[in-house]
Coordinates of all heavy atoms in Angstrom, one line a residue:
A53 N 41.3 109.3 228.3 CA 42.1 110.6 228.5 C 43.5 110.4 228.0 O 44.0 111.2 227.2 CB 42.1 111.0 229.9
A54 N 44.1 109.3 228.3 CA 45.5 109.0 227.9 C 45.6 108.9 226.3 O 46.5 109.5 225.7 CB 46.1 107.8 228.5
A55 N 44.6 108.3 225.8 CA 44.5 108.2 224.3 C 44.4 109.6 223.6 O 45.1 109.9 222.7 CB 43.4 107.3 223.9
F56 N 43.4 110.4 224.1 CA 43.2 111.7 223.6 C 44.5 112.5 223.7 O 44.8 113.3 222.8 CB 42.1 112.4 224.2 CG 40.8 112.2 223.4 CD1 39.7 111.5 224.0 CD2 40.6 112.7 222.2 CE1 38.6 111.3 223.3 CE2 39.4 112.5 221.5 CZ 38.4 111.8 222.0
N57 N 45.2 112.4 224.8 CA 46.4 113.2 225.0 C 47.6 112.8 224.1 O 48.5 113.5 223.9 CB 46.8 113.1 226.5 CG 45.9 113.9 227.3 OD1 45.3 114.9 226.8 ND2 45.7 113.5 228.5
T58 N 47.5 111.6 223.4 CA 48.5 111.3 222.3 C 48.2 112.1 221.1 O 49.1 112.2 220.2 CB 48.4 109.8 222.0 OG1 47.2 109.5 221.2 CG2 48.6 108.9 223.2
K59 N 47.0 112.6 220.9 CA 46.5 113.3 219.7 C 46.6 112.5 218.5 O 46.6 113.0 217.3 CB 47.3 114.6 219.5 CG 47.3 115.6 220.7 CD 45.9 116.1 220.9 CE 46.0 117.2 222.0 NZ 44.7 117.7 222.4
D60 N 46.6 111.2 218.7 CA 46.7 110.2 217.6 C 45.3 109.6 217.4 O 44.8 108.8 218.3 CB 47.7 109.1 217.9 CG 47.9 108.1 216.8 OD1 46.9 107.7 216.1 OD2 49.0 107.6 216.6
V61 N 44.6 109.9 216.3 CA 43.3 109.4 216.0 C 43.1 107.9 216.1 O 42.2 107.4 216.7 CB 42.8 110.0 214.7 CG1 41.4 109.4 214.3 CG2 42.7 111.5 214.7
N62 N 44.1 107.2 215.6 CA 44.1 105.7 215.6 C 44.1 105.2 217.1 O 43.4 104.2 217.4 CB 45.2 105.1 214.8 CG 45.0 105.4 213.3 OD1 43.9 105.3 212.8 ND2 46.1 105.6 212.6
V63 N 44.9 105.8 217.9 CA 45.0 105.4 219.3 C 43.6 105.7 220.0 O 43.1 104.8 220.7 CB 46.1 106.1 220.1 CG1 46.1 105.9 221.5 CG2 47.5 105.7 219.5
V64 N 43.0 106.8 219.7 CA 41.7 107.2 220.3 C 40.7 106.2 219.8 O 39.8 105.7 220.6 CB 41.4 108.6 220.0 CG1 40.0 108.9 220.6 CG2 42.4 109.6 220.6
M65 N 40.6 105.9 218.6 CA 39.6 105.1 218.0 C 39.7 103.7 218.6 O 38.6 103.0 218.7 CB 39.8 105.0 216.4 CG 39.4 106.3 215.7 SD 37.7 106.7 215.9 CE 36.9 105.4 215.0
N66 N 40.8 103.2 219.1 CA 40.9 101.9 219.7 C 40.1 101.8 221.0 O 39.8 100.7 221.5 CB 42.4 101.6 219.9 CG 42.6 100.1 220.3 OD1 42.0 99.3 219.6 ND2 43.3 99.9 221.3
V67 N 39.8 103.0 221.6 CA 39.1 103.0 222.9 C 37.6 102.8 222.6 O 36.8 102.5 223.5 CB 39.4 104.2 223.7 CG1 38.6 104.2 225.0 CG2 40.9 104.4 223.9
Y68 N 37.2 103.1 221.4 CA 35.8 103.1 221.0 C 35.4 101.9 220.1 O 36.3 101.4 219.4 CB 35.4 104.3 220.1 CG 35.4 105.6 220.9 CD1 36.5 106.5 220.9 CD2 34.3 106.0 221.6 CE1 36.5 107.7 221.6 CE2 34.2 107.2 222.3 CZ 35.3 108.0 222.3 OH 35.3 109.2 223.0
D69 N 34.1 101.5 220.1 CA 33.6 100.7 219.1 C 33.1 101.6 218.0 O 32.1 102.3 218.3 CB 32.4 99.8 219.7 CG 31.7 99.0 218.7 OD1 31.8 99.3 217.5 OD2 31.1 98.0 219.1
A70 N 33.7 101.7 216.9 CA 33.4 102.7 215.9 C 32.0 102.4 215.2 O 31.6 103.2 214.5 CB 34.5 102.7 214.8
N71 N 31.4 101.3 215.6 CA 30.0 101.1 215.1 C 29.0 101.8 216.1 O 27.8 101.7 215.9 CB 29.7 99.6 215.0 CG 30.6 98.9 214.0 OD1 30.7 99.4 212.9 ND2 31.2 97.8 214.3
G72 N 29.5 102.4 217.1 CA 28.7 103.0 218.1 C 28.3 104.5 217.7 O 28.3 104.8 216.5
I73 N 28.0 105.2 218.8 CA 27.6 106.6 218.6 C 28.4 107.5 219.5 O 28.8 107.2 220.6 CB 26.1 106.8 219.0 CG1 25.2 105.9 218.2 CG2 25.6 108.2 218.9 CD1 23.8 105.8 218.7
I74 N 28.8 108.7 218.9 CA 29.5 109.7 219.7 C 28.7 111.0 219.5 O 28.2 111.3 218.4 CB 31.0 109.8 219.3 CG1 31.7 110.7 220.3 CG2 31.1 110.2 217.9 CD1 33.3 110.7 220.0
F75 N 28.7 111.8 220.6 CA 28.1 113.2 220.5 C 29.3 114.1 220.8 O 29.6 114.4 221.9 CB 27.1 113.4 221.6 CG 25.8 112.6 221.4 CD1 25.7 111.3 221.7 CD2 24.7 113.3 220.9 CE1 24.5 110.6 221.5 CE2 23.5 112.6 220.7 CZ 23.4 111.3 221.0
P76 N 30.0 114.6 219.7 CA 31.1 115.4 219.9 C 30.8 116.8 220.4 O 31.7 117.6 220.8 CB 31.8 115.4 218.5 CG 30.6 115.2 217.6 CD 29.7 114.3 218.3
E77 N 29.6 117.2 220.3 CA 29.1 118.5 220.8 C 27.6 118.4 221.1 O 26.9 117.4 220.6 CB 29.3 119.6 219.8 CG 28.7 119.4 218.4 CD 29.1 120.4 217.4 OE1 30.3 120.3 216.9 OE2 28.3 121.3 217.0
P78 N 27.1 119.2 221.9 CA 25.7 119.1 222.3 C 24.7 119.1 221.1 O 24.9 119.9 220.2 CB 25.4 120.4 223.1 CG 26.7 120.7 223.7 CD 27.7 120.4 222.6
G79 N 23.8 118.1 221.0 CA 22.9 118.0 220.0 C 23.3 117.4 218.7 O 22.6 117.4 217.7
K80 N 24.6 117.0 218.6 CA 25.1 116.5 217.4 C 25.5 115.0 217.6 O 26.5 114.7 218.2 CB 26.4 117.3 216.9 CG 26.9 116.7 215.6 CD 28.1 117.5 215.1 CE 28.7 117.0 213.8 NZ 29.9 117.7 213.4
E81 N 24.7 114.1 217.0 CA 25.0 112.7 217.1 C 25.7 112.2 215.8 O 25.3 112.6 214.7 CB 23.6 111.9 217.2 CG 23.8 110.4 217.2 CD 22.4 109.7 217.3 OE1 21.4 110.3 217.8 OE2 22.3 108.6 216.8
V82 N 26.7 111.4 216.0 CA 27.5 111.0 214.9 C 27.7 109.5 215.0 O 27.9 108.9 216.1 CB 29.0 111.6 214.9 CG1 29.9 111.0 213.9 CG2 28.9 113.1 214.8
S83 N 27.5 108.8 213.9 CA 27.7 107.3 213.8 C 28.3 107.0 212.4 O 28.3 107.9 211.5 CB 26.4 106.6 214.0 OG 25.4 106.9 213.0
G84 N 28.7 105.8 212.3 CA 29.4 105.4 211.1 C 30.9 105.7 211.2 O 31.3 106.8 211.7
R85 N 31.7 104.8 210.8 CA 33.2 104.9 211.0 C 33.8 106.2 210.5 O 34.5 106.9 211.2 CB 33.9 103.7 210.5 CG 35.4 103.8 210.8 CD 36.1 102.5 210.6 NE 37.5 102.6 211.2 CZ 37.9 102.3 212.4 NH1 37.0 101.8 213.2 NH2 39.1 102.4 212.8
A86 N 33.5 106.7 209.3 CA 34.1 107.9 208.7 C 33.7 109.1 209.5 O 34.6 109.9 209.9 CB 33.7 108.0 207.3
Q87 N 32.4 109.2 209.8 CA 32.0 110.4 210.6 C 32.5 110.3 212.0 O 32.8 111.4 212.6 CB 30.4 110.5 210.6 CG 29.9 110.8 209.3 CD 28.3 110.9 209.4 OE1 27.7 110.1 210.0 NE2 27.8 111.9 208.7
F88 N 32.6 109.1 212.6 CA 33.1 108.9 213.9 C 34.6 109.4 214.0 O 35.0 110.2 214.9 CB 33.0 107.5 214.3 CG 33.0 107.2 215.8 CD1 31.8 106.7 216.3 CD2 34.1 107.2 216.6 CE1 31.7 106.4 217.7 CE2 34.0 106.9 217.9 CZ 32.8 106.5 218.5
E89 N 35.4 109.0 213.0 CA 36.8 109.4 212.9 C 36.9 110.9 212.8 O 37.8 111.5 213.4 CB 37.5 108.7 211.8 CG 37.9 107.3 212.2 CD 38.8 106.6 211.1 OE1 39.6 107.3 210.5 OE2 38.7 105.4 211.0
E90 N 36.0 111.5 212.0 CA 36.1 113.0 211.8 C 35.8 113.7 213.2 O 36.4 114.7 213.5 CB 35.1 113.5 210.7 CG 35.6 113.2 209.3 CD 36.9 113.8 209.0 OE1 37.1 115.0 209.3 OE2 37.8 113.1 208.5
A91 N 34.8 113.2 213.9 CA 34.5 113.8 215.2 C 35.7 113.6 216.2 O 36.0 114.6 216.9 CB 33.3 113.1 215.8
V92 N 36.4 112.5 216.2 CA 37.5 112.3 217.0 C 38.7 113.2 216.6 O 39.3 113.8 217.4 CB 38.0 110.8 217.0 CG1 39.3 110.6 217.6 CG2 36.9 109.9 217.7
K93 N 38.9 113.4 215.3 CA 39.9 114.3 214.8 C 39.6 115.7 215.3 O 40.6 116.4 215.7 CB 39.9 114.3 213.3 CG 40.6 113.2 212.6 CD 40.6 113.3 211.1 CE 41.0 112.0 210.5 NZ 40.9 112.0 209.0
S94 N 38.4 116.2 215.3 CA 38.1 117.5 215.7 C 38.3 117.7 217.2 O 38.8 118.7 217.7 CB 36.6 117.9 215.4 OG 35.7 117.2 216.1
I95 N 38.0 116.7 218.0 CA 38.3 116.7 219.4 C 39.8 116.7 219.7 O 40.3 117.4 220.5 CB 37.6 115.6 220.2 CG1 36.1 115.7 220.0 CG2 38.0 115.6 221.7 CD1 35.3 114.4 220.4
C96 N 40.6 115.9 218.9 CA 42.0 115.8 219.1 C 42.7 117.2 218.7 O 43.8 117.5 219.2 CB 42.6 114.7 218.2 SG 42.4 113.1 218.9
A97 N 42.0 117.9 217.9 CA 42.6 119.2 217.4 C 42.5 120.3 218.5 O 43.2 121.3 218.4 CB 41.9 119.7 216.2
V98 N 41.7 120.1 219.6 CA 41.6 121.1 220.7 C 43.0 121.0 221.4 O 43.4 120.0 221.9 CB 40.5 120.7 221.6 CG1 40.5 121.7 222.8 CG2 39.1 120.8 220.9
P99 N 43.6 122.2 221.5 CA 44.9 122.2 222.2 C 44.8 122.0 223.7 O 43.8 122.4 224.3 CB 45.5 123.6 221.9 CG 44.3 124.4 221.6 CD 43.3 123.5 221.0
G100 N 45.7 121.2 224.3 CA 45.8 121.0 225.7 C 45.7 119.6 226.1 O 45.8 118.7 225.3
V101 N 45.6 119.4 227.4 CA 45.6 118.1 228.0 C 44.2 117.8 228.5 O 43.5 118.6 229.2 CB 46.6 118.1 229.2 CG1 46.5 116.7 229.9 CG2 48.0 118.4 228.7
M102 N 43.7 116.6 228.2 CA 42.4 116.1 228.6 C 42.5 115.4 230.0 O 43.5 114.6 230.2 CB 41.8 115.1 227.6 CG 40.4 114.6 228.1 SD 39.6 113.5 226.9 CE 38.8 114.7 225.8
E103 N 41.6 115.7 230.9 CA 41.5 115.0 232.1 C 40.1 114.5 232.3 O 39.1 115.3 231.9 CB 41.9 115.9 233.3 CG 43.3 116.3 233.3 CD 43.7 117.1 234.6 OE1 43.0 117.0 235.6 OE2 44.6 117.9 234.5
I104 N 39.9 113.3 232.7 CA 38.5 112.8 232.9 C 38.4 112.2 234.4 O 39.2 111.4 234.8 CB 38.2 111.7 231.9 CG1 38.4 112.1 230.5 CG2 36.8 111.1 232.2 CD1 38.2 111.1 229.4
K105 N 37.4 112.7 235.1 CA 37.1 112.2 236.4 C 35.9 111.3 236.3 O 34.9 111.7 235.8 CB 36.8 113.4 237.4 CG 36.4 113.0 238.7 CD 35.9 114.2 239.5 CE 35.1 113.7 240.8 NZ 34.3 114.7 241.4
T106 N 36.1 110.1 236.9 CA 34.9 109.2 236.9 C 34.1 109.5 238.1 O 34.5 109.5 239.2 CB 35.4 107.7 237.0 OG1 36.2 107.4 235.8 CG2 34.2 106.8 237.0
V107 N 32.8 109.9 237.8 CA 31.9 110.2 238.9 C 31.3 108.9 239.4 O 31.2 108.7 240.6 CB 30.8 111.2 238.4 CG1 29.7 111.4 239.5 CG2 31.4 112.5 238.0
Y108 N 30.9 108.0 238.5 CA 30.5 106.7 238.9 C 30.6 105.8 237.7 O 30.7 106.2 236.5 CB 29.1 106.6 239.5 CG 28.0 107.0 238.5 CD1 27.6 106.2 237.5 CD2 27.3 108.2 238.7 CE1 26.5 106.6 236.6 CE2 26.3 108.6 237.8 CZ 25.9 107.8 236.8 OH 24.9 108.1 236.0
C109 N 30.7 104.5 237.9 CA 30.7 103.5 236.9 C 29.9 102.3 237.4 O 30.2 101.7 238.4 CB 32.1 103.0 236.5 SG 32.2 101.9 235.1
L110 N 28.8 102.0 236.7 CA 27.9 100.9 237.1 C 28.0 99.8 236.1 O 27.8 100.0 234.9 CB 26.4 101.4 237.3 CG 26.2 102.6 238.1 CD1 24.8 103.1 238.0 CD2 26.6 102.3 239.6
Q111 N 28.2 98.6 236.6 CA 28.4 97.4 235.7 C 27.4 96.3 235.9 O 27.1 96.0 237.1 CB 29.8 96.8 235.9 CG 30.1 95.6 235.0 CD 31.4 95.0 235.2 OE1 32.3 95.6 235.9 NE2 31.7 93.9 234.7
S112 N 26.9 95.8 234.8 CA 26.0 94.6 234.9 C 26.5 93.6 233.8 O 26.3 93.9 232.6 CB 24.6 95.0 234.7 OG 23.8 93.8 234.7
G113 N 27.2 92.6 234.2 CA 27.7 91.6 233.2 C 28.7 92.3 232.3 O 29.7 92.9 232.7
D114 N 28.4 92.2 231.0 CA 29.4 92.8 230.0 C 29.0 94.2 229.5 O 29.5 94.6 228.5 CB 29.5 91.8 228.8 CG 28.2 91.7 228.0 OD1 27.1 92.2 228.4 OD2 28.3 91.1 226.9
V115 N 28.1 94.9 230.2 CA 27.9 96.3 229.9 C 28.0 97.1 231.1 O 27.9 96.7 232.3 CB 26.4 96.5 229.3 CG1 26.3 95.8 228.0 CG2 25.4 96.0 230.3
A116 N 28.4 98.4 230.9 CA 28.5 99.3 232.0 C 28.2 100.7 231.6 O 28.3 101.0 230.4 CB 30.0 99.3 232.6
V117 N 27.7 101.5 232.5 CA 27.5 102.9 232.2 C 28.3 103.8 233.1 O 28.5 103.5 234.3 CB 26.0 103.3 232.3 CG1 25.5 103.1 233.7 CG2 25.7 104.7 231.8
G118 N 29.0 104.8 232.6 CA 29.8 105.7 233.4 C 29.3 107.1 233.3 O 28.7 107.5 232.3
R119 N 29.6 107.9 234.3 CA 29.3 109.3 234.3 C 30.6 110.0 234.6 O 31.4 109.6 235.5 CB 28.3 109.6 235.5 CG 27.4 110.7 235.4 CD 27.5 112.0 234.9 NE 27.3 112.9 236.1 CZ 28.2 113.8 236.4 NH1 29.3 114.0 235.7 NH2 28.0 114.6 237.4
S120 N 30.9 110.9 233.7 CA 32.3 111.6 233.8 C 32.1 113.1 233.9 O 31.1 113.7 233.5 CB 33.1 111.2 232.6 OG 32.5 111.7 231.4
E121 N 33.2 113.7 234.4 CA 33.4 115.1 234.3 C 34.8 115.3 233.6 O 35.8 114.7 234.1 CB 33.4 115.8 235.7 CG 32.0 115.7 236.3 CD 31.9 116.3 237.7 OE1 32.9 116.8 238.2 OE2 30.8 116.3 238.2
W122 N 34.8 115.9 232.5 CA 36.0 116.0 231.7 C 36.3 117.4 231.3 O 35.5 118.3 231.3 CB 36.0 115.1 230.5 CG 34.9 115.5 229.5 CD1 33.6 115.1 229.6 CD2 35.0 116.3 228.4 NE1 32.9 115.6 228.5 CE2 33.7 116.4 227.8 CE3 36.1 117.0 227.8 CZ2 33.5 117.1 226.6 CZ3 35.8 117.7 226.7 CH2 34.6 117.8 226.1
S123 N 37.6 117.7 231.0 CA 38.0 119.0 230.5 C 39.3 118.8 229.7 O 40.0 117.9 229.8 CB 38.3 119.9 231.7 OG 39.4 119.4 232.5
V124 N 39.5 119.8 228.9 CA 40.8 120.0 228.2 C 41.3 121.4 228.6 O 40.6 122.4 228.4 CB 40.6 119.9 226.6 CG1 41.9 120.1 225.9 CG2 40.0 118.6 226.2
T125 N 42.5 121.4 229.1 CA 43.1 122.6 229.6 C 44.5 122.8 228.9 O 45.2 121.9 228.7 CB 43.4 122.5 231.2 OG1 42.1 122.1 231.8 CG2 43.9 123.7 231.8
D126 N 44.7 124.0 228.5 CA 45.9 124.4 227.9 C 46.5 125.6 228.6 O 45.9 126.7 228.6 CB 45.6 124.7 226.4 CG 46.9 124.9 225.6 OD1 47.9 124.3 225.9 OD2 46.9 125.7 224.6
N127 N 47.7 125.4 229.1 CA 48.4 126.5 229.9 C 47.5 127.1 230.9 O 47.5 128.4 231.0 CB 49.0 127.5 228.9 CG 50.1 127.0 228.0 OD1 50.9 126.2 228.5 ND2 50.1 127.3 226.8
G128 N 46.8 126.3 231.7 CA 46.0 126.8 232.7 C 44.6 127.3 232.3 O 43.8 127.7 233.1
K129 N 44.4 127.4 231.0 CA 43.1 127.9 230.5 C 42.2 126.7 230.0 O 42.7 125.9 229.2 CB 43.3 128.8 229.3 CG 42.0 129.4 228.8 CD 42.3 130.4 227.7 CE 41.0 130.9 227.1 NZ 41.1 131.5 225.8
T130 N 41.0 126.6 230.5 CA 40.1 125.5 230.1 C 39.6 125.8 228.7 O 39.0 126.9 228.5 CB 38.9 125.4 231.1 OG1 39.5 125.1 232.4 CG2 38.0 124.3 230.7
Q131 N 39.8 124.9 227.8 CA 39.4 125.0 226.4 C 37.9 124.5 226.3 O 37.2 125.1 225.6 CB 40.3 124.2 225.5 CG 41.7 124.7 225.6 CD 41.9 126.1 225.0 OE1 41.4 126.5 224.0 NE2 42.8 126.8 225.7
V132 N 37.6 123.4 227.0 CA 36.3 122.9 226.9 C 36.2 122.0 228.2 O 37.1 121.4 228.7 CB 36.0 122.0 225.7 CG1 37.0 120.9 225.5 CG2 34.6 121.6 225.6
A133 N 35.0 122.0 228.7 CA 34.7 121.1 229.9 C 33.2 120.7 229.9 O 32.4 121.5 229.4 CB 35.0 121.9 231.2

Side-chain angles (χ1 to χ4, degrees):
F56 268 112
N57 289 331
T58 70
K59 304 294 186 185
D60 184 323
V61 173
N62 292 322
V63 171
V64 177
M65 289 296 292
N66 193 47
V67 183
Y68 289 100
D69 178 336
N71 295 313
I73 300 169
I74 188 172
F75 289 79
E77 58 189 74
K80 182 179 179 184
E81 177 182 331
V82 173
S83 62
R85 185 164 187 92
Q87 290 181 321
F88 205 107
E89 282 189 31
E90 284 304 311
V92 168
K93 283 180 190 176
S94 69
I95 298 166
C96 284
V98 175
V101 176
M102 178 178 276
E103 293 183 25
I104 303 175
K105 173 188 168 196
T106 301
V107 176
Y108 63 75
C109 185
L110 306 172
Q111 179 183 350
S112 178
D114 66 350
V115 295
V117 63
R119 211 316 247 127
S120 63
E121 293 180 357
W122 62 273
S123 64
V124 178
T125 305
D126 188 31
N127 292 321
K129 181 180 177 195
T130 300
Q131 301 294 318
V132 63

